[in-house]
Amino acid sequence: MTYETLQQDMQLMVEEWMTSDYLRDGELFVIGCSTSEVAGQAIGTSGSEQIAEVIFKQLNILKEKSGIQLVFQCCEHLNRALVMEREIAARYLLDEVSVIPVPTAGGSMASYAYKQMTDPVVVESIKGSAHAGMDIGETMIGMHMKHVAVPLRFKQRQIGNARLAVARTRPKLIGGSRANYEDTRLNNKCN
């Protein structure tokens, strides 16, 4: 994997999200990322803030184009806490915890993101509030997603050497067969 290939992978992923029409202004978008897996190594063995930088820059483009709010999952050493801007934590009434992620405890992606944000905080949980997200390297972001998470089948299935899984959420279906869902956000895209 080269940095040029990584950037191309991320650009393709950004394009797919932008054409998907699943992202809404202000919604939480959670990212779990193993930079070790992106580099072709076992998760947690060779993190890289250089890889994180390439990924972060492309995610920032996605944020600028779509209006989403980026939330970065830390690794299990920080119990999968999340890095975000203080303003977003306040908007969602989330409690800050006292920790700063570093590559060896939090992961290179969360550590890099923390350093790039204007006023970063770490929160213990987003209480299943993410509207969409992506998991680079099987880092298990599902606990942060709203119900009901719907996996998406993008053409872009890898970032570097890491497997990529992406998902969006939809409101729960209630009311059974007599209910009408035509004018909802589902737009006949139920899975």
Side-chain angles (χ1 to χ4, degrees):
M1 182 231 36
T2 66
Y3 289 110
E4 292 78 26
T5 302
L6 174 58
Q7 183 170 340
Q8 289 171 354
D9 289 349
M10 289 299 298
Q11 286 171 334
L12 289 170
M13 183 275 314
V14 168
E15 288 173 22
E16 284 196 77
W17 272 114
M18 290 309 301
T19 60
S20 74
D21 196 35
Y22 293 132
L23 303 178
R24 303 279 186 273
D25 187 44
E27 291 184 339
L28 297 181
F29 186 93
V30 66
I31 300 99
C33 178
S34 168
T35 59
S36 297
E37 290 278 336
V38 172
Q41 304 300 315
I43 194 167
T45 62
S46 58
S48 165
E49 286 196 344
Q50 291 78 22
I51 289 173
E53 178 181 11
V54 174
I55 293 169
F56 184 87
K57 284 181 179 178
Q58 291 301 311
L59 288 170
N60 217 33
I61 290 170
L62 180 62
K63 175 185 174 186
E64 290 170 6
K65 287 183 175 182
S66 67
I68 58 167
Q69 298 302 321
L70 300 176
V71 179
F72 293 86
Q73 175 184 269
C74 295
C75 73
E76 71 276 9
H77 294 102
L78 295 186
N79 299 324
R80 303 208 191 286
L82 302 125
V83 174
M84 65 180 63
E85 292 285 0
R86 182 178 307 278
E87 168 190 342
I88 303 309
R91 183 181 311 157
Y92 281 85
L93 305 174
L94 302 171
D95 294 325
E96 179 182 357
V97 294
S98 295
V99 70
I100 296 174
V102 295
T104 55
S108 294
M109 187 75 245
S111 174
Y112 184 84
Y114 188 93
K115 294 173 192 171
Q116 302 312 304
M117 291 184 177
T118 304
D119 191 11
V121 297
V122 177
V123 300
E124 188 172 16
S125 169
I126 57 174
K127 303 169 186 156
S129 296
H131 301 88
M134 58 184 232
D135 189 325
I136 303 170
E138 301 174 2
T139 62
M140 307 298 188
I141 64 167
M143 68 189 86
H144 306 302
M145 303 289 287
K146 288 175 150 283
H147 290 137
V148 173
V150 179
L152 302 174
R153 300 293 182 244
F154 282 4
K155 291 176 188 171
Q156 187 63 34
R157 301 300 301 245
Q158 299 235 150
I159 300 295
N161 293 300
R163 287 192 259 188
L164 173 66
V166 296
R168 67 172 179 95
T169 60
R170 64 161 173 77
K172 294 178 182 180
L173 300 176
I174 62 170
S177 62
R178 297 187 303 179
N180 178 350
Y181 306 113
E182 289 178 18
D183 294 327
T184 68
R185 184 172 172 182
L186 296 175
N187 291 330
N188 299 321
K189 295 180 184 176
C190 292
N191 289 6

